[in-house]
Structures are given as structure tokens and as C-alpha cells.
Amino acid sequence: NAMPIINAGWMQNGLFWDGRANSLESQAFGPVVNPVEMHETWPDVVAKLQADPEYPALFEAVFGSAQIDSVNVAKALAQFERTLISGNAPFDKYLAANKATGSSGWSADKELLMWEGFNIFMDENRGDCFHCHGDQFNPLWTDNIYHNNGLDASFTDLGLGAVTGNPSDNGKFKTPTLRNLAFTAPYMHDGRFTTIEQCIQHYSFGLVDSPTIDPLMKNVGAGGNQLNPTEQNALKWFLLSLSDSSFVTNPAFQNPW
């Protein structure tokens, strides 16, 4: 399941779910040759770009040469990705207006649910989500760290462990941003959950123990945080409030041709 490319310029501690790339530029090289993505070769891709009626002139304008190579392609891709900045979600607007009613663009009753959901998110005895996903002072809504969040008892995909070779990293995957969850289904590294409700249900009742389970999953013995349906619903509305519709409709991020 592809991670969302949102506020990627501030990504730290590696890219991809398993951290195998250390920069946006190095990340850009991988998908071209990956057999489950483009399944191409860089010489073929460069030849196609070189034969395009527009790209050579664009590369000359930016890099001073119409001769295209993979390094400059990766630089161009990475620089575009750095422009994909999202920070205008309902919760952002609500905080910016100092929690004024209606400032989010939502109705008052939805704002109450959103705020209750945020309180659950921040409560160690209820949602306890903030350790991995941050708080209102972390606009990225991720700690950029790798965790085993109790999905499986054993692992076919080792995650970070496959990169580091350290068995204590097996089953650990990078914390994704919570921004734009309304637009980025499915969820988890393997896309096993198709709805936000399923994700909340996992942390409430579906945690599975394993040798590398993160200590933050402290309620794994009980299956999770045991959120009741009312709490789950409020938490969902807070998570939805982090979705920025202006980001997904921004013409600067769409094909101009």
C-alpha cells in the first residue's frame, strides 16, 4: 500500500514503510525498476523522456542541459514532492481561529464531536494515539518513527527488520501521517483495512501480541484500548477533520496538459 506523499519535505528517518530510502531523491529511483510498480529500466525511461517534444526544453530551462539523465529526473520528482504541502484541514482552521464555533467550516455538532475525538486521541487511558502520531503542535501528525502496532503474531513482511537485519526491528513500519485520511484508503502497510472505522476497531479490540510489539501498545493483553462505540465515533470525526479538501483540488498538483 503506497504511503501518501503529503508534507514529504519534512519526512525524517527514512522513506517507504520500511525506511529503505534516505531521501526523496533516492526514493524516486526505486519505483521505476521495481517489478510490482513500473517494472522498467532507467535507460528506457530516459529515452522516452528524451524523445518527448516538451521535456528536453524543460530540463534545459531547469538544469542547463537538454540531455536528460536519471539523476535530474529524480531531482525534479523530489522537488515537486516537496511542494505537496497540506495544512488547511478543518482542524487546522479551528485551531487557527482559537476554537471559534464554525471556524472549521463544519457544523457546531460536528465540531463538538471533533473536539471530543481529539481529547480521546490525546488521552493515555482512552485513545492514546499521540505518542506515535503527535499532537496539535506537530502539524505532520507522525513521529517519523517505526513501530510494531500489533497487526500480526508473526511476519511475512519484516518491515524495518528487512532493511536493518536486526530481528528486533521485525514487523516495524513507519508511522504514516494522519493527514488526509479521508482520501488515502486503504490503511496500514499492506492495505488490510479499507475504512477508518476498521483502523479504530483494531486499536480498540484487535491488537495481536508478538516478540517485537511496541511498548506503546500497552493494552495488547486486553486486545486494545476498549473504546466504546461513542468514543470510536468521536475519534473518527477528529481523524476526518485532518483531511484538507483544498489540497486534493489544488490545480498546481494536477496535470496541466
Side-chain angles (χ1 to χ4, degrees):
N1 177 31
M3 297 187 84
I5 307 173
I6 301 165
N7 300 334
W10 291 279
M11 291 261 185
Q12 303 169 8
N13 302 319
L15 296 163
F16 291 108
W17 288 102
D18 56 10
R20 64 186 182 272
N22 58 18
S23 70
L24 289 173
E25 284 79 4
S26 62
Q27 181 273 334
F29 284 102
V32 168
V33 298
N34 191 304
V36 298
E37 293 189 70
M38 291 178 66
H39 198 193
E40 258 284 12
T41 67
W42 270 107
D44 282 350
V45 168
V46 168
K48 291 175 182 177
L49 293 173
Q50 197 72 62
D52 186 89
E54 297 190 41
Y55 278 118
L58 293 172
F59 273 79
E60 183 169 25
V62 174
F63 297 108
S65 172
Q67 188 65 41
I68 298 173
D69 60 41
S70 60
V71 172
N72 284 344
V73 171
K75 287 180 179 179
L77 287 169
Q79 193 63 5
F80 170 69
E81 288 174 330
R82 290 186 177 98
T83 73
L84 299 174
I85 298 171
S86 180
N88 193 37
F91 192 71
D92 300 313
K93 298 174 185 176
Y94 188 69
L95 292 181
N98 197 23
K99 306 170 197 168
T101 300
S103 57
S104 69
W106 283 6
S107 62
D109 58 336
K110 283 187 178 178
E111 283 187 344
L112 285 173
L113 272 174
M114 173 185 72
W115 191 246
E116 174 58 18
F118 173 69
N119 289 326
I120 292 168
F121 181 96
M122 295 296 298
D123 189 334
E124 288 207 34
N125 297 315
R126 293 194 290 171
D128 195 22
C129 312
F130 67 95
H131 287 108
C132 297
H133 287 289
D135 53 32
Q136 70 269 39
F137 304 110
N138 174 5
L140 300 179
W141 294 102
T142 171
D143 62 0
N144 277 314
I145 297 176
Y146 301 80
H147 301 276
N148 172 354
N149 63 338
L151 290 171
D152 299 296
S154 60
F155 317 108
T156 54
D157 184 345
L158 298 183
L160 181 63
V163 175
T164 65
N166 186 342
S168 67
D169 289 332
N170 289 351
K172 294 181 180 180
F173 298 90
K174 190 166 189 179
T175 306
T177 179
L178 294 179
R179 285 198 173 274
N180 294 341
L181 284 182
F183 314 121
T184 56
Y187 308 106
M188 305 296 166
H189 69 278
D190 54 7
R192 69 178 63 190
F193 300 137
T194 58
T195 67
I196 295 173
E197 288 88 346
Q198 288 173 340
C199 295
I200 295 172
Q201 188 73 10
H202 165 70
Y203 290 109
S204 294
F205 300 103
L207 295 182
V208 177
D209 202 1
S210 68
T212 62
I213 187 75
D214 198 288
L216 292 170
M217 304 293 111
K218 56 183 180 290
N219 293 317
V220 63
N225 295 337
Q226 307 287 306
L227 294 182
N228 63 45
T230 299
E231 292 170 321
Q232 290 186 45
N233 185 58
L235 180 57
K236 179 191 76 171
W237 280 104
F238 165 65
L239 295 175
L240 287 172
S241 79
L242 297 175
S243 292
D244 176 3
S245 59
S246 66
F247 176 79
V248 296
T249 58
N250 189 332
F253 305 151
Q254 300 172 23
N255 193 331
W257 294 288

